[in-house]
Amino acid sequence: MTNQLITRNRSVKTMSDPTLYDDELLLWSEQQAAAIRKLGRRGRNVPNELDIENVAEEIESVGRSELAAAKSHIRLVFLDLIKLFVEAGSEAPPHWRGEIVAFHSEIVGRYAPSMRQRIDVDELWRSAREQSLLAYEGA
């Protein structure tokens, strides 16, 4: 794992850069957890009562949670797009368009470049399509 990140504007960010937490929470959480584990392996000046592994795991979970939220919102956009297509003649499309805009806004707010390799858009599309097929099967 690297301790630098090249951002969209090509500047270099390091773990000590305060904006890494704001811009790349997933990467920040992984880097911080690795640093804590490294500190624990050294064992110098680390209090015995500090639960290094669980602290590192909790910090990593913050980043994983952001990734899961981004994936979820992408899948929700796909679900509403399918609804728009399937039920184009109904009265609901304005509602679904509004949801798509809201979900997209959530994606934009949570998405970070470090997530790109970890989000399988094809799998999210298949999941949304499968869920929609099951929902419309009984209709």
Side-chain angles (χ1 to χ4, degrees), residues 53-69:
E53 188 52 41
N54 283 323
V55 169
E57 182 63 31
E58 287 299 317
I59 290 171
E60 281 178 328
S61 74
V62 170
R64 286 193 307 265
S65 179
E66 283 297 299
L67 176 61

Side-chain angles (χ1 to χ4, degrees), residues 30-45:
E30 291 170 341
Q31 291 176 347
Q32 294 302 306
I36 288 170
R37 287 185 180 108
K38 185 177 178 181
L39 181 66
R41 284 191 300 274
R42 287 183 187 159
R44 286 183 260 136
N45 300 324

Side-chain angles (χ1 to χ4, degrees), residues 44-93:
R44 286 183 260 136
N45 300 324
V46 176
N48 288 337
E49 63 272 9
L50 183 60
D51 185 354
I52 295 285
E53 188 52 41
N54 283 323
V55 169
E57 182 63 31
E58 287 299 317
I59 290 171
E60 281 178 328
S61 74
V62 170
R64 286 193 307 265
S65 179
E66 283 297 299
L67 176 61
K71 287 179 176 180
S72 176
H73 285 96
I74 292 168
R75 194 178 60 73
L76 290 170
V77 166
F78 288 160
L79 284 169
D80 280 351
L81 287 170
I82 292 168
K83 290 175 191 174
L84 278 173
F85 178 77
V86 171
E87 297 187 38
S90 77
E91 295 177 12

Side-chain angles (χ1 to χ4, degrees), residues 103-136:
F103 294 145
H104 180 263
S105 179
E106 284 291 320
I107 294 166
V108 168
R110 293 175 181 269
Y111 180 82
S114 62
M115 294 179 181
R116 184 174 187 187
Q117 298 297 83
R118 303 171 203 209
I119 296 176
D120 184 344
V121 176
D122 291 336
E123 177 56 37
L124 294 173
W125 172 251
R126 280 190 292 278
S127 173
R129 194 179 68 215
E130 203 172 285
Q131 183 179 347
S132 295
L133 286 172
L134 291 172
Y136 288 109

